[in-house]
Amino acid sequence: MQDMASPLSSLHASTFIIALVFISMTLCYMPYTALATSAQTVIDSPLLTQRLGINRTIKVDINGKGDFKSVQAAIDSIPEGNSNWVIVHVRKGIYREKVHIPKTKPFIFMRGNGKGKTAIVWSQSSEDNVASATFKVEAKDFIAFGVSFKNEAPTGVAYTSQNQSVAAFVAADKVAFYHCAFYSTHNTLFDYKGRHYYESCYIQGSIDFIFGRGRSIFYGCEIFVISDKRSPILGSVVAQNREQEREMSGFIFIKGKVYGIGGVYLGRAKGPYSRVIFAKTYLSMTIVREGWTKWSYDGTTENLLMGEYKTRGPGATVEGRVPWSRQLTEKEVAPYLSIDFIDGKNWLPAYWD
């Protein structure tokens, strides 16, 4: 009986070891799955770190108490082709530098000490939006938490090379910002391309200060409008460019608020299929009655989607809205209020429920 039991025990042991190896390999190569959070759950940096499974941290401290004193130096230290999530912890302070995340360095989690404590600041205007940007991310799978990005270039003369001063240029797929802030006087956030998620962020600017052709959700974001007296043409919060019907792009604003100084449009069309929706958002009196504009675009309005759903506040009045804007029904807006609009369940570590 003992001779018979030995081979069976060995077989069981071998089977068990093979199973363990298989499970380990599966877990190692399985992409992380986004998890919805309830209203009671606070999405903070420890939660994101846990869900991403990160165990490596590079510390940046402007006072020299970390691994680097410069944010860009920390980014440069990460090898090209990086395949594992790494935290770049930018401790409190004002870091006066331009920062670039190149496309060869994915899986970076830039963690600040709070948008009121950690700031990346530069001052540059240019006739080229990208050249002026304080912060540029061109690598997929990038997350930032608790960091302010600011371009403090003074407001120049309208329609000149001193008119572009971008705070952040977002040009990669699967990029998320939690509890971050973006400051400039003009062209603040260049949401160029890719699937993006902004939660509980603060965005400040004057004319077309959220623009591009990204496929993005802005959830619970605070948008502050600065009055621009340089031109008789009123500015817009958003300028979304969608040139063709097959493009998946669009800017969706959910449960935030828009307020500030002076009059401004919610958005303007930059392409024949421009798509912008404000849903369940508070609109102050800074939003003019017309709501929307197609200044600089002289094509048909037939395919534009400039819509609102259950907006509230003194700027949310329906009376006086341009005839080609839309007050959406629950059925019409449903696909855009889902995290599936950006396929978020497949790549976000956390999102609203």
Side-chain angles (χ1 to χ4, degrees):
M1 291 296 293
Q2 290 179 347
D3 292 339
M4 292 288 291
S6 180
L8 286 174
S9 299
S10 298
L11 178 61
H12 291 162
S14 299
T15 304
F16 179 70
I17 292 171
I18 291 171
L20 281 178
V21 172
F22 176 76
I23 292 170
S24 299
M25 291 180 64
T26 301
L27 290 174
C28 288
Y29 291 98
M30 183 182 295
Y32 64 88
T33 303
L35 297 173
T37 59
S38 67
Q40 290 74 35
T41 302
V42 176
I43 297 180
D44 55 17
S45 57
L47 176 66
L48 296 175
T49 301
Q50 176 189 359
R51 292 187 176 180
L52 292 170
I54 308 176
N55 55 22
R56 182 192 173 198
T57 300
I58 301 171
K59 297 175 183 177
V60 183
D61 190 299
I62 198 167
N63 297 312
K65 297 180 180 179
D67 301 305
F68 297 95
K69 295 178 68 175
S70 158
V71 180
Q72 189 62 57
I75 299 300
D76 293 344
S77 74
I78 298 171
E80 293 192 355
N82 176 52
S83 59
N84 296 306
W85 281 99
V86 57
I87 294 173
V88 175
H89 181 194
V90 186
R91 291 174 172 171
K92 66 179 181 179
I94 298 175
Y95 296 81
R96 295 192 176 277
E97 58 179 309
K98 298 185 77 168
V99 176
H100 178 215
I101 315 292
K103 63 178 61 177
T104 56
K105 298 190 178 186
F107 301 109
I108 291 175
F109 176 19
M110 181 180 289
R111 189 180 79 195
N113 280 25
K115 60 178 179 280
K117 297 179 179 179
T118 299
I120 298 173
V121 180
W122 196 247
S123 176
Q124 183 174 343
S125 294
S126 173
E127 60 185 6
D128 182 341
N129 279 304
V130 180
S132 74
T134 297
F135 175 76
K136 297 189 292 186
V137 53
E138 297 183 277
K140 67 178 183 177
D141 293 296
F142 172 85
I143 294 173
F145 178 93
V147 180
S148 288
F149 305 94
K150 184 176 183 180
N151 189 329
E152 59 181 13
T155 303
V157 179
Y159 315 115
T160 71
S161 62
Q162 299 304 309
N163 198 36
Q164 323 299 331
S165 51
V166 172
F169 173 62
V170 184
D173 195 30
K174 298 187 291 183
V175 173
F177 294 87
Y178 299 87
H179 297 274
C180 290
F182 305 86
Y183 298 87
S184 180
T185 57
H186 186 78
N187 286 22
T188 306
L189 178 55
F190 191 175
D191 193 77
Y192 179 49
K193 64 178 180 179
R195 293 168 292 177
H196 308 146
Y197 182 67
Y198 301 82
E199 179 165 327
S200 300
C201 291
Y202 176 90
I203 309 167
Q204 177 179 295
S206 58
I207 295 180
D208 300 347
F209 59 96
I210 303 172
F211 68 107
R213 56 182 65 192
R215 180 176 161 192
S216 305
I217 288 177
F218 299 77
Y219 182 81
C221 292
E222 185 176 345
I223 298 170
F224 187 82
V225 179
I226 300 172
S227 180
D228 192 320
K229 305 296 185 183
R230 298 173 301 167
S231 170
I233 299 173
L234 294 170
S236 301
V237 173
V238 179
Q240 203 276 334
N241 190 2
R242 182 168 171 250
E243 293 291 336
Q244 300 179 20
E245 185 175 11
R246 68 173 181 267
E247 291 181 27
M248 300 294 288
S249 67
F251 293 164
I252 314 300
F253 297 83
I254 305 170
K255 291 186 176 180
K257 65 178 179 179
V258 182
Y259 66 107
I261 304 168
V264 70
Y265 295 106
L266 279 173
R268 74 176 178 94
K270 288 196 71 176
Y273 292 89
S274 291
R275 178 161 56 191
V276 179
I277 295 173
F278 283 85
K280 302 179 180 179
T281 300
Y282 174 83
L283 307 178
S284 78
M285 64 179 64
T286 196
I287 302 301
V288 297
R289 291 179 62 195
E290 295 87 347
W292 307 85
T293 180
K294 59 186 184 73
W295 170 75
S296 84
Y297 168 72
D298 58 3
T300 178
T301 60
E302 180 181 357
N303 299 309
L304 299 176
L305 177 50
M306 301 294 191
E308 299 170 61
Y309 174 71
K310 290 187 176 180
T311 53
R312 66 189 190 283
T317 178
V318 175
E319 184 180 355
R321 286 291 194 257
V322 291
W324 43 268
S325 67
R326 296 173 60 183
Q327 296 294 321
L328 300 170
T329 66
E330 182 177 357
K331 182 178 181 181
E332 289 172 329
V333 80
Y336 304 106
L337 300 190
S338 169
I339 199 66
D340 293 333
F341 177 69
I342 58 172
D343 304 317
K345 294 175 184 177
N346 298 325
W347 61 274
L348 284 171
Y351 59 90
W352 93 95
D353 185 6

